[in-house]
Amino acid sequence: MPPVTPDAPGEGTPRGTAAGKARRWGSLARQALAGERESRGAPGCRATMCELYSKQDTLALRRKHIGPSCKVFFAADPIKIVRAQGQYMFDERGEQYLDCINNVAHVGHCHPEVVTAALKQMELLNTNSRFLHDNIVEYARRLSATLPETLSVCYFTNSGSEANDLALRLARQFRGHQDVITLDHAYHGHLSSLIEISPYKFRKGKDVKKEFVHVAPTPDTYRGKYREDHADPAGAYADEVKKIIEEAHNSGRKIAAFIAESMQSCGGQIIPPAGYFQKVAEYVHRAGGVFIADEVQVGFGRVGKHFWSFQMHGEDFVPDIVTMGKPMGNGHPMACVVTTKEIAEAFSSSGMEYFNTYGGNPVSSAIGLAVLNVIESEDLQGNATRVGDYLTELLNKQKAKHTLIGDIRGIGLFIGIDLVKDQQKRTPATDEAEHVIYKMKEKQVLLSADGPHRNVLKIKPPMCFTEEDAKFMVDQLDEILTVVEEAIGAKSESMTSENTPCRTKVPHGHLKVHWHVCKSYPDKETLKRIRLERVFWNDMPRALHTI
């Protein structure tokens, strides 16, 4: 991974490419920010970073003042990020990390065009959207132009959760129905109304599924009910939705909406089979409901060939409501619901005014316009296609090499690596995935694991991600998987080591590993807190100590 420097666009990187631009504008933004900090005299600031507290003090204050349910990445050994540019993030020591998980910084961290747009508008005016202003209507016009013609009415909010909550209100008002069909493992936001329709959340807590919520199987052709060898997985999964509708009607209930991410993110980077959404939409419409496409994670060109992920399912599929958020403001809190005139008029007919203080304010709209401009001017959709195809090719070569990789799936810069203990049984390699992301962090690559078994490595970087970045990421992953698999192989041959760590049995057949006697192990704090399965970690060979 090349270091980001003020006057180095990157070896072999043409200045006109997204990669060259990312490095140049990152340097300019950094210099401007450093100058601003110095002029303010902010405490603890240097030319490249700014800290109010030491890392340990920050951790202590977080424990004291931030809710314990608010988790951080890499909780066993968190990193403190103090600045970022393009596809790179930097900690308090100036260490550079390749960001492979931040789909929020869509066009790149601290893009100067976005920063400038925000600054100029903030210096001029920021107020609520009840005052007439050009920015909100111009943004609505530009946004609508990226969508099918029938989707033309916008409601601006501040987060994807707000957007999905409003989408449910629109759907329920449309025909007075109440019930919602959602997918298993789905996550649609943190509001109470959305936790209720997010099995990813409510299955983990004490909440029980509400009677108006119906959960359909995730259309997963790798690990799901109907797999790639099924004659018609799209039809089979859609028929599950049809059965749910019929059972609801038999119980006197009425379907208001079917809601799904166009590609399921928290559920494990799931790509629905072709034709599934069309069939589901047909059944839902016949029942008097509407189809809500959640694009909060996957919209704005991430799939490359299309601006919206639902568009990859074909021109004959058009949702009734589309929600969007995260990448919309490149880190600025901004989200939206777009729907048809018919649904919008039904919502208005209720007599209740919809008002959102900050949704669509002049600054947010200016930022949104800047993001759209950068996506177009830097051909970030094209970059997502080119780099995504190259990355997928590299990963498929790794799949052929590594037994831990069960599946590579994704489109553009939205890719999942499904790690398995056994390729035939497709047993999720949960602990191995956790181990891999911590080791990748040591190699200064930021990844996360998700899915119902937490065994899917998620790749959804800023859209300025380059082929050079892809190659670097895959090379690090290759090294880590190689050593882990050597350790597994040695274990299977019953090899032992005098440095095997002390073991203490814990309930449910798991093993807690105590590293205090393993003085040579380089990462004691990281893995000390990870619960490791007996099958992988018992009599751990020395090979694993060198990862």
Side-chain angles (χ1 to χ4, degrees), residues 138-193:
E138 174 62 6
Y139 186 69
R141 184 189 70 81
R142 289 277 302 278
L143 190 65
S144 299
T146 68
L147 290 157
E149 188 176 357
T150 54
L151 294 167
S152 60
V153 182
C154 301
Y155 296 87
F156 291 103
T157 66
N158 307 288
S159 71
S161 292
E162 274 190 76
N164 281 330
D165 177 76
L166 179 58
L168 292 181
R169 289 177 59 192
L170 290 168
R172 285 169 167 154
Q173 178 64 32
F174 185 48
R175 289 201 171 94
H177 300 177
Q178 291 298 312
D179 288 26
V180 177
I181 302 174
T182 187
L183 294 178
D184 204 4
H185 313 308
Y187 173 65
H188 295 289
H190 62 81
L191 300 181
S192 296
S193 63

Side-chain angles (χ1 to χ4, degrees), residues 217-241 243 273 276 426:
T218 303
D220 179 359
T221 58
Y222 178 71
R223 197 184 297 284
K225 186 175 182 179
Y226 308 107
R227 300 186 175 184
E228 72 276 3
D229 57 354
H230 192 280
D232 180 18
Y237 278 117
D239 284 346
E240 295 284 340
V241 176
K243 291 176 187 175
Y276 171 71
R426 304 184 180 184

Side-chain angles (χ1 to χ4, degrees), residues 154-461:
C154 301
Y155 296 87
F156 291 103
T157 66
N158 307 288
S159 71
S161 292
E162 274 190 76
N164 281 330
D165 177 76
L166 179 58
L168 292 181
R169 289 177 59 192
L170 290 168
R172 285 169 167 154
Q173 178 64 32
F174 185 48
R175 289 201 171 94
H177 300 177
Q178 291 298 312
D179 288 26
V180 177
I181 302 174
T182 187
L183 294 178
D184 204 4
H185 313 308
Y187 173 65
H188 295 289
H190 62 81
L191 300 181
S192 296
S193 63
L194 304 173
I195 296 296
E196 291 173 346
I197 64 165
S198 296
Y200 178 83
K201 288 291 185 181
F202 73 64
R203 290 198 191 283
K204 296 179 181 179
K206 296 180 180 179
D207 294 338
V208 295
K209 184 177 74 66
K210 302 294 191 294
E211 61 180 1
F212 58 81
V213 177
H214 311 274
V215 180
T218 303
D220 179 359
T221 58
Y222 178 71
R223 197 184 297 284
K225 186 175 182 179
Y226 308 107
R227 300 186 175 184
E228 72 276 3
D229 57 354
H230 192 280
D232 180 18
Y237 278 117
D239 284 346
E240 295 284 340
V241 176
K242 183 180 180 182
K243 291 176 187 175
I244 287 173
I245 294 172
E246 291 171 349
E247 290 171 2
H249 285 179
N250 290 338
S251 300
R253 309 197 67 87
K254 295 181 179 180
I255 303 299
F258 172 91
I259 184 170
E261 290 181 276
S262 301
M263 299 187 295
Q264 201 174 56
S265 181
C266 292
Q269 312 294 88
I270 305 300
I271 315 298
Y276 171 71
F277 279 166
Q278 284 91 333
K279 288 183 171 69
V280 169
E282 177 186 343
Y283 299 146
V284 171
H285 288 156
R286 196 183 301 166
V290 301
F291 193 112
I292 303 172
D294 181 343
E295 293 266 341
V296 171
Q297 295 261 16
V298 296
F300 290 88
R302 179 157 294 277
V303 295
K305 294 181 180 179
H306 303 283
F307 200 83
W308 303 104
S309 295
F310 73 78
Q311 292 172 323
M312 68 185 180
H313 296 281
E315 293 183 0
D316 59 335
F317 170 66
V318 178
D320 303 292
I321 300 172
V322 177
T323 60
M324 56 198 74
K326 294 184 188 298
M328 193 172 181
N330 208 54
H332 178 83
M334 186 177 184
C336 187
V337 180
V338 185
T339 189
T340 65
K341 288 184 178 179
E342 184 182 13
I343 292 174
E345 288 171 358
F347 187 58
S348 179
S349 69
S350 69
M352 182 185 296
E353 178 187 6
Y354 174 76
F355 171 59
N356 189 309
T357 302
Y358 295 109
N361 68 71
V363 171
S364 294
S365 297
I367 289 171
L369 285 165
V371 171
L372 293 180
N373 290 340
V374 173
I375 292 172
E376 181 178 351
S377 66
E378 297 187 7
D379 188 28
L380 293 183
Q381 271 187 260
N383 191 64
T385 298
R386 291 185 295 272
V387 177
D389 288 349
Y390 176 66
L391 178 54
T392 300
E393 178 185 345
L394 293 179
L395 289 172
N396 277 318
K397 290 179 180 178
Q398 295 300 312
K399 179 186 174 186
K401 178 180 178 181
H402 294 291
T403 57
L404 270 171
I405 298 179
D407 190 34
I408 302 294
R409 52 181 178 262
I411 300 174
L413 287 175
F414 182 85
I415 299 171
I417 307 171
D418 198 311
L419 298 186
V420 297
K421 296 176 183 291
D422 184 299
Q423 289 189 340
Q424 295 300 317
K425 296 179 181 178
R426 304 184 180 184
T427 311
T430 301
D431 295 319
E432 292 83 345
E434 183 81 356
H435 181 75
V436 167
I437 64 171
Y438 273 85
K439 301 311 293 186
M440 289 291 281
K441 178 176 74 75
E442 288 181 16
K443 292 178 177 290
Q444 296 174 285
V445 178
L446 303 182
L447 282 176
S448 65
D450 217 328
H453 307 286
R454 296 281 179 179
N455 69 304
V456 180
L457 306 182
K458 298 170 66 172
I459 304 172
K460 46 187 183 67

